[in-house]
Amino acid sequence: MQNSEAMALSAALLAVAGGLTQRIHEGVLARGFEGVRPAHGFAFARLAPDGATVTDLAAHLGVTKQAASQLVDEMVRKGYAERRPHPEDARARLVVLTERGWACTRAAEEAAAEAVREWGALLGEREVRSLGRQLLRIAPHGPIRPAW
Amino acid sequence: MQNSEAMALSAALLAVAGGLTQRIHEGVLARGFEGVRPAHGFAFARLAPDGATVTDLAAHLGVTKQAASQLVDEMVRKGYAERRPHPEDARARLVVLTERGWACTRAAEEAAAEAVREWGALLGEREVRSLGRQLLRIAPHGPIRPAW
DNA sequence: ACTATATAGTCAAGCTACTTGACCACTTGG
DNA sequence: CCAAGTGGTCAAGTAGCTTGACTATATAGT
């Protein structure tokens, strides 16, 4: 494969990712959750199952723990998350989603599903599933970098 | 397709895009081009064929023309681009890549090709081409948003 | 041809999300 | 039980964006 082909593939991938991010963002806003930025989505994803510490979150997002702490401040202030004492480590705090945080997560899922459905209309359901499988196989495991 | 599946697909897509961005960025740095940020790559792509005005660039990147102008300042200062008088409009300036700018663009292409080759090792060349075709078909046409 | 409005670009100031550095509280290992 | 390590926050600085104001040139209307 030539370099220019690889570049075209890369450009398409980044364009699709950028468009998807914006679609999800708009969809979340349209569902009444204000003051949420795309970066929060990645935090929500990490907090969703059982909560996480600020340090976990920082590693997941690939930022400093100070930045992660500020992000949590903001999410707490806006009612999406709360800090609880950590059950096993008195230094740490467990950050968990509030009911509003869960609702926002569901809104993001709906918005994502909406965008993906449009891909289904263009490519067919079968191709979209194939796309998903391929992406899962090449997805990196390290921290997610929400900012370029 | 369920919402959770769409979310898994979206997460994989964003993770791949983030990883690719970082890989290209590192590859460009490793080839000796310092002080370049991922956002510059999108500017390079717009300038590459025949140059562009600051206003074109701003629309392409989805930022204000002031921000685009600052980006161009930086690229000029670092030797990647230069401003020329516009041949048809005395108000405008045509921003074009310097030789160093072209070299940096080629370095980015090489880095992208390197990353895509690794996908080829995982999925097979055939599947990677299929991935590229699918992505091209669902890629949005509007401005590219380099920041989430 | 002349005026009015629109467009290309820059300068200046402000905002915001991040960074680095310093510090305290608690935990862990010799 | 003390030394080093880890979780978290406070404070200050930075970089990349924004909004607002302005100049120079172009374009359209009469």
Side-chain angles (χ1 to χ4, degrees), chain B residues 26-87:
Chain B
E26 288 166 358
V28 169
L29 285 182
R31 284 168 177 80
F33 298 93
E34 294 176 13
V36 199
R37 283 171 295 108
H40 292 99
F42 296 92
F44 278 48
R46 182 66 186 79
L47 297 181
D50 301 300
T53 65
V54 164
T55 300
D56 286 342
L57 202 52
H60 180 70
L61 297 176
V63 298
T64 61
K65 55 186 184 174
Q66 292 91 327
S69 186
Q70 289 173 10
L71 198 72
V72 170
D73 281 345
E74 193 185 343
M75 289 169 64
V76 169
R77 187 160 23 87
K78 291 176 177 166
Y80 295 109
E82 58 185 18
R83 291 184 224 249
R84 297 192 178 174
H86 194 288

Side-chain angles (χ1 to χ4, degrees), chain A residues 95-126:
Chain A
V95 182
V96 297
L97 293 182
T98 61
E99 184 45 50
R100 180 170 167 80
W102 283 103
C104 186
T105 301
R106 287 190 295 271
E109 284 183 357
E110 286 169 23
E114 218 171 79
V116 171
R117 261 195 298 278
E118 288 182 19
W119 299 346
L122 285 169
L123 300 179
E125 179 102 357
R126 181 190 181 80

Side-chain angles (χ1 to χ4, degrees), chain A residues 3 5-6 10 13-17 21-22 38 42 110 113 119 122-123 127 129 131 134 137 139-140 145-146 148, chain B residues 3 5-6 10 13-17 21-22 38 42 110 112-113 119 122 127 129 131 134-135 137 139-140 145-146 148:
Chain A
N3 285 359
E5 286 180 78
S10 300
L13 176 62
L14 297 178
V16 172
T21 301
Q22 201 176 352
F42 296 92
E110 286 169 23
W119 299 346
L122 285 169
L123 300 179
E127 290 291 303
R129 286 185 190 277
L131 183 67
Q134 291 164 350
R137 288 178 60 194
R145 325 209 90 267
W148 297 349
Chain B
N3 285 1
E5 285 180 80
S10 300
L13 175 61
L14 297 177
V16 171
T21 302
Q22 200 176 354
F42 296 92
E110 288 169 21
W119 299 346
L122 284 169
E127 291 290 304
R129 286 184 191 278
L131 183 66
Q134 292 165 349
L135 289 171
R137 289 179 58 195
R145 325 208 90 267
W148 297 349

Side-chain angles (χ1 to χ4, degrees), chain B residues 86-139:
Chain B
H86 194 288
E88 297 165 9
D89 189 335
R91 294 171 302 179
R93 307 220 203 165
L94 196 60
V95 182
V96 296
L97 293 181
T98 60
E99 183 46 50
R100 181 171 167 80
W102 283 102
C104 186
T105 301
R106 287 190 295 271
E109 284 183 357
E110 288 169 21
E114 218 172 78
V116 171
R117 261 196 297 279
E118 290 182 18
W119 299 346
L122 284 169
L123 300 180
E125 179 100 356
R126 179 191 182 81
E127 291 290 304
V128 173
R129 286 184 191 278
S130 144
L131 183 66
R133 277 194 305 273
Q134 292 165 349
L135 289 171
L136 276 176
R137 289 179 58 195
I138 59 179

